[in-house]
Structures are given as C-alpha cells and as structure tokens.
Amino acid sequence: MLKPDKMKKHSFPVILILLVTIVTSCNKEKYGTFSVSVGDKVWITDTDIDFYDFSSQLVYLKHDNLLSIDPEEFLKTYQGPFSVLLGGEEIYNGNFQPGYSSAMYPGAYIPVPGFYGKDIFSISYLKPPDGKMNDPRYDSRIISTLKRINLYHAGLSCTIDDIKVIDNDQVADQSHIQYTFTIENKDDINYYILDPNLTGNELFHFFTNGMILHTSDYQRFYEYIGPHTTPEPWDSVKPEWLTLLESGKKLSRTLLNETYNYLDQGQYICKFTYPGAGYQVSRNERELAHGRIWLGEITSTSEITIE
C-alpha cells in the first residue's frame, strides 16, 4: 500500500491523464474523426461524408447541403472562418467565399454556393503572391485519417508531356501551340472523363481555357484566343463526350493548332487545367454502366522557353 506522501506524488499525473482522456473523448464525440467547423459550430463530420476526392478537392456528402440549397441562409448560420479538424484538433483554416464578393484572400476557401451539386462542396486554394505558403489541404495527416476511415479517393492526376510552338508571327500577332497531356486514374474505381477527341477542340474549350502561359512575374500573360462552341443545351454533358478511364490506366491526348497572340521571347510557366463535368451532371446521373463521371478540375504546370 502506498504511503500518503507517495499517493500525493502519483495522484497529479493520474488526474492529468484522466482529464486529457476525458477532453479528447468529448472532442471526438463532438467533432468526429474528421470535421469542418465554424467557430464552436460543427458543420460537417465524417459521418456526413460519402467520400472525399483529393484530386479535385470535392467533398461528396450523403445528403444535400445548405451551402448550395440556400447560400444566404448558410452564411447567416455559419459566420466567420472555417476550420478543418482531426479529432477536434485544427489542421488548417480558411474562409467562405461568397459568389457576390470580388475580394479574395490567400489560403484555403470554400465557394458559396458550390458549383457541383447540392450534395457537394469544394475546398479551393489561392496561392499568395510570394508563393511561400504551402497548400494545407494535402496535409499527410488528413490523407492518412481519411484512408483509415475509408473516405479517401485519389481521383485523377494530370501531367503536361510536351509543348511545341508551331508558328509565331509577330506581324499577324498570332501564334499556334501544340501540347500533349496525360490523365491517370489513381483511384480504385473507374471514371468517365471528358475527352477532347470526342468533343472536338472547340467544344472542349467551353469547359476549359486550356493552356495559359505567363512569366514568373506575371508581366506577360497569354491565353487561348481561338474559337469555342457551346453545348446544346448549354448546361449539358453528353455521354458520347466521355471516355472510360479504368482504375490504374492512363490516357494521353494532343491539342493541335491552339491559337494565341504572338509570344515574346523568354521563359514561361505553362499551366493547363483539365476539366471534368460540374453542375451539368445531377446526383442521379453520375453513375454510368462501368464507372462514375469524374467532376472537378486539376491543373498541371510545366515550362517553355520561346526563342
């Protein structure tokens, strides 16, 4: 049996451990394993989530969400910045970005309303001008936690394989670029994806601006100025524009004769945004015969020197 002085000596650490255990247990009960909160209000927990596509940073919910059903009411209910938490511990925070506001701040943000259906919200990221802030959405702790609770989906990746300037006419103030990109399905499910070989270049450019070229200081900036066509109806994505990309497979495509203004000599950063479907596909239309329609967009970066 412990003597009174030894009991006092050992009681404080035991009580501290008990308190920490109780607080941790309460946090997990309130916030769940993964959650998004606003102040002391819990907005989303892992029990609300169907899955989280990490490539597009789209969170698919099991139910419709106030953020897209009634954006005005949502912003009244959830005021202030949001926090992404694991077991009640904040990993990062960000702001809600109302569609009516032109003010943008560096860091993570959630657009209000969303663009991908009433049961989906996206977490976006605006890189600061100095580029020194790391994107917190890809924190390894979040990935490992979502994998452990079977909510993680790797989605797709995009790489720029080759860029060529076909012609560059200063007098006509016009140039043409050819580039090849590859989409890889890193997920364990099959995806139907937009295929420029099926849409044609002009329709493909309804969904994306394609390749953007700029200097590191953004003093020179070039984007696609060629023609594009609008779908009929304008808010549609047709199955015949989609290619099935099976789990673990890759698909490469080349866009030819992309029209730009004349390109001054120098080194450029090239950014290509590959588009998926968005608001055009309702919840009950996402599942097709052999897979799911991929939603969102992903960006790949490369460099080119114009001589």
Side-chain angles (χ1 to χ4, degrees):
M1 182 174 180
L2 290 172
K3 293 181 180 180
D5 60 333
K6 289 189 176 181
M7 288 179 67
K8 288 180 182 178
K9 196 176 187 179
H10 290 278
S11 61
F12 179 73
V14 172
I15 292 171
L16 183 61
I17 291 170
L18 286 172
L19 286 172
V20 171
T21 303
I22 291 169
V23 170
T24 302
S25 177
C26 290
N27 278 346
K28 285 186 177 179
E29 186 175 341
K30 178 180 179 180
Y31 295 104
T33 305
F34 172 91
S35 62
V36 183
S37 69
V38 183
D40 60 355
K41 293 181 180 178
V42 179
W43 172 39
I44 297 292
T45 72
D46 50 271
T47 59
D48 300 308
I49 298 173
D50 187 9
F51 69 90
Y52 188 152
D53 183 336
F54 242 65
S55 63
S56 59
Q57 287 293 318
L58 297 185
V59 182
Y60 292 72
L61 303 175
K62 297 175 181 176
H63 52 77
D64 288 348
N65 179 29
L66 185 64
L67 180 146
S68 292
I69 297 172
D70 191 340
E72 186 176 346
E73 183 62 28
F74 176 86
L75 291 171
K76 288 180 182 177
T77 305
Y78 297 98
Q79 297 182 9
F82 68 87
S83 296
V84 173
L85 307 102
L86 297 179
E89 177 188 352
E90 182 181 276
I91 304 302
Y92 70 90
N93 58 58
N95 296 292
F96 291 107
Q97 179 64 41
Y100 58 77
S101 174
S102 60
M104 296 286 289
Y105 303 97
Y109 66 94
I110 294 176
V112 182
F115 304 105
Y116 295 97
K118 295 179 180 179
D119 60 319
I120 298 173
F121 70 91
S122 62
I123 306 179
S124 301
Y125 178 75
L126 179 62
K127 193 174 183 179
D130 61 15
K132 292 181 179 179
M133 185 188 298
N134 291 325
D135 188 340
R137 299 174 300 167
Y138 299 96
D139 191 292
S140 60
R141 293 169 293 178
I142 297 176
I143 295 173
S144 60
T145 298
L146 292 175
K147 284 181 176 180
R148 179 165 55 83
I149 57 178
N150 297 317
L151 296 180
Y152 176 85
H153 277 261
L156 307 179
S157 70
C158 176
T159 55
I160 300 170
D161 304 318
D162 184 57
I163 310 169
K164 294 178 181 176
V165 178
I166 305 303
D167 59 66
N168 195 22
D169 189 333
Q170 187 173 11
V171 175
D173 189 23
Q174 191 172 94
S175 64
H176 291 93
I177 293 177
Q178 170 182 308
Y179 57 91
T180 301
F181 65 91
T182 296
I183 303 299
E184 181 177 2
N185 185 352
K186 291 180 170 293
D187 220 322
D188 55 5
I189 61 176
N190 300 333
Y191 284 115
Y192 285 91
I193 65 172
L194 278 172
D195 187 342
N197 282 10
L198 301 178
T199 62
N201 276 23
E202 292 186 13
L203 181 57
F204 189 66
H205 277 291
F206 174 83
F207 299 99
T208 178
N209 284 333
M211 181 82 73
I212 292 173
L213 296 85
H214 65 83
T215 53
S216 58
D217 59 5
Y218 284 89
Q219 292 300 306
R220 282 176 285 172
F221 184 93
Y222 302 94
E223 60 183 345
Y224 174 80
I225 60 170
H228 71 270
T229 56
T230 302
E232 290 291 344
W234 68 271
D235 59 347
S236 64
V237 169
K238 297 180 180 179
E240 55 262 36
W241 302 338
L242 306 173
T243 288
L244 180 65
L245 185 61
E246 296 179 340
S247 173
K249 301 293 185 180
K250 296 180 180 181
L251 179 76
S252 295
R253 290 291 183 259
T254 299
L255 296 184
L256 303 169
N257 293 320
E258 298 282 281
T259 307
Y260 291 77
N261 290 120
Y262 172 75
L263 303 170
D264 291 318
Q265 292 181 349
Q267 188 167 7
Y268 293 90
I269 296 169
C270 308
K271 292 181 180 177
F272 170 67
T273 298
Y274 173 78
Y279 61 87
Q280 305 96 337
V281 179
S282 65
R283 186 173 188 171
N284 60 5
E285 294 174 326
R286 292 176 201 152
E287 298 290 341
L288 298 181
H290 303 291
R292 170 190 289 266
I293 297 176
W294 186 79
L295 309 182
E297 62 180 31
I298 44 177
T299 300
S300 182
T301 302
S302 185
E303 292 185 355
I304 188 173
T305 299
I306 309 295
E307 299 176 344

